[in-house]
Amino acid sequence: MGITWQEEQRLFKLDTPNTTYLIGIVDEEGFLGHIYYGNKIEDATGAAELLRTREAPFTPEKNDRERVSFMDCFPWEYSSHGVGDFRESSVRVKDENGCSAVLLTYVSHEIYAGKPPLEGLPATFGPKDGVQTLDILCEDKSLGLRAHLTYSVFEDTDAIARSVRFENGGSSVLRLEKAMSCCLDMDNRGFDVLTLHGSWARERHMERKPVGCGRYSVSTLRGESSHQEHPFLALLTHGADQDRGEVYGFHLVYSGNFLMQAEGNQFGAVRVVAGINPEDFSWKLEPGEAFQTPEVILTYSAQGLGPMTGSLHSLYKNHLIRSPYLHRKRPILINNWEATYFDFDEKKLLEIAKESAALGIEMLVMDDGWFGNRYDDGRALGDWQVNEEKLKGGLGRLVEQVNGLGMKFGIWFEPEMISGDSKLYRKHQDWALAVPGRRPALSRNQYVLDISRREVRDYIMEQVFAVLHSANIEYVKWDMNRPLTDLGSVSLPADRMGELYHRYVLGMYEMQERLTREFPNLLLENCSGGGGRFDPGMLYYSPQIWCSDDTDAVERLMIQESTAMLYPLSAIGAHVSVCPNHTVGRSTPFETRGYVALAGTFGYELDITKLSDEDKAMVAGQTAIYHRFHDIVREGEYHRLASYQENRKFDCFQINDPTGRESLVFYTQVLSEPNRRSRFVRLKGLSADARYRIFTVNADSGELKKDTGRVISGAVLMNGGICFESLTGDFRGSLLCLERVDR
Ligand code: DGJ
């Protein structure tokens, strides 16, 4: 690992275990150019030659006549605006004259051990002896604008964290109208771009297309990272798959409006920019003030998507998630949402808890509907006082009884929202986001609280804290059920209104920080109508996020596949629910629903008192499987073996215990096919010269069922594969456990 400054070549060399990133400085002008990002280069002698400065007639110091041509083809480390580079800019600033040109050039740099936190923002971290940071100070002298381009490299992970801090070092006001977190210019080596898209209950489906000329961007203006788009983009060489080809991944650690863009140009180059969406963004910088962008994670793999996944999992587990639950067993929970929706009382919850405790479930989560007069979704958000008509003896008595059954207790909140029909709204109508003179739009019957305001945050957090202090509550589900619209705040002057979207996100981060500080042992699960705010930013506060409101096993195969491409399984909230499924009406075997949910945080979301005896027996089996294997799922090394999103037939992935002693293989055959042979799936990450005994995990009992005589070498399993028989019937899941046997 390391960052070095090579004086004679005037370049920075950033090394991770398997990659190298090179930045060069053009001497006289101080332009900062991108030289290289890819496989590790130990000896970078001569690399400065790769910086495209000698391409006559463009060389600026030799041919000032063609300065614009130079600007427009040079591979910039952080692109300028309005001075000749006509590709996507990284920064745009309105000065006191209303002009918007910016050109940042090198001033100085610093290389130091460790990585400082980013003020008010989630960010990766690490110890002084495990992370190194490069801070390049650039300046636009005529604006008085300084920018610190920072790059952190991690000793144990092939990832680079980049962000930018702007400072107004001049004497007049500047308006930042665009402030991207990174820019990367490279030659287009026949790249495809991979992005994730969806909708409510259908989050993060993959799309891949060739990068041609022009701009391809994914972005959101919903105020949250959103169900529809994901702050991720990868460039892949054509034909790259899980194991082959080059992959550049970009993942933004941010939960609000973003833009991720790939742009092919006239010279066969490609530029990627990532950061806060510049649309509806404008930040006033008084002299002496600073602005910090969110950080973006860059990864490179020369062996396909698999290593990119490995790098991101490792980075998020070791350098982003802070919860004490990160390496702890998560309690198997049962959530009453799909069991009762708003129609529950203390008696109903206790019935669910009693039945659950007997079957190995460890926590009851009381979802929406426990407060104010919340009998449906049309009211009471903001009135965070217990509804004692539903919970007659109050929260304390309910929680005591649940604890008495040996179960933990968790509760739902939606702190960022307010119902029109609420005591809070009647008292503080101006606490909702609204444009003066315009009726704000309802969505799911609710408005958005203006949490850019300190007094609003203080009030809500006081209410939330009072509830949490009133009983032994060990888990919180923090929900957010609508996008932001009608961006107006009574507390911001006109010339700062363009800051509102970002101030909202900063406010939300501050509330989550306060919550986790006040209750350091709380298990926090974020949620946004399912997976509408599933992003690395939220993982900084909560170790798990509800993945989707769609709990159908087949839909979940696709959603969880792409989610697991970026996030560790320990972050993916997944539950077994009833059939026909409430969202898609599909019926799948109880067993299969269990296997799909076991590849996440695992829990239930159904009325357990209404299950058949057969299904109840299976719950006992599934909870036993979780108790036996939770640590492999949480800590193990994940490998994607087959993609149902691609093949539309079956799904398969493997998790290897970090000690190398055990592996789990999850296989789901979606639709049954006539007259089909068995299927071989090649395993990954085993030891070629070891042997493995294969067990089928029996969902009825949770016991390992030994398949006699099935001992297979790692070499056979990885090269030939493991055989899955064709099964009769649709949606058939199975789970295998491999145990290494000593010869
Ligand atoms: C949306 C969540 O995703 C659901 O799980 C549930 O908590 C509802 N909100 C409650 O309103």
Side-chain angles (χ1 to χ4, degrees), residues 195-259:
T195 46
L196 305 179
H197 308 266
S199 162
W200 171 76
R202 188 164 31 83
E203 296 88 345
R204 293 176 290 286
H205 284 227
M206 296 184 211
E207 259 191 44
R208 184 170 171 166
K209 43 186 82 110
V211 176
C213 284
R215 295 171 182 180
Y216 174 74
S217 65
V218 287
S219 65
T220 179
L221 273 174
R222 293 168 192 267
E224 56 172 347
S225 45
S226 89
H227 298 89
Q228 289 74 9
E229 310 294 340
H230 194 74
F232 165 80
L233 179 152
L235 295 181
L236 295 78
T237 44
H238 282 319
D241 59 16
Q242 283 296 321
D243 311 292
R244 278 167 297 271
E246 290 184 87
V247 178
Y248 294 86
F250 302 81
H251 207 188
L252 189 66
V253 186
Y254 189 59
S255 312
N257 293 345
F258 66 81
L259 168 73

Side-chain angles (χ1 to χ4, degrees), residues 200 227 335 337-338 341-342 367-369 374 377 381 412 414 444 446 477 479-481 527-531 546 548-549 575 605:
W200 171 76
H227 298 89
N335 177 304
W337 179 242
E338 287 197 21
Y341 296 102
F342 295 100
D367 209 280
D368 193 356
R374 182 87 169 161
D377 67 13
L381 289 173
W412 177 97
E414 194 174 2
R444 207 206 187 199
Q446 62 202 49
K477 176 175 174 187
D479 204 348
M480 193 262 196
N481 280 301
C527 169
S528 173
W546 182 228
S548 175
D549 271 354
H575 300 165
E605 180 133 356

Side-chain angles (χ1 to χ4, degrees), residues 34 40 167 264 349 393 400 415 462 529 562 633 686 707 719 735:
H34 182 73
K40 187 152 191 172
E167 292 161 358
L349 293 177
E400 268 170 34
E462 254 172 48
S562 346
V633 174
L686 302 175
D707 289 347
N719 295 302
L735 174 58

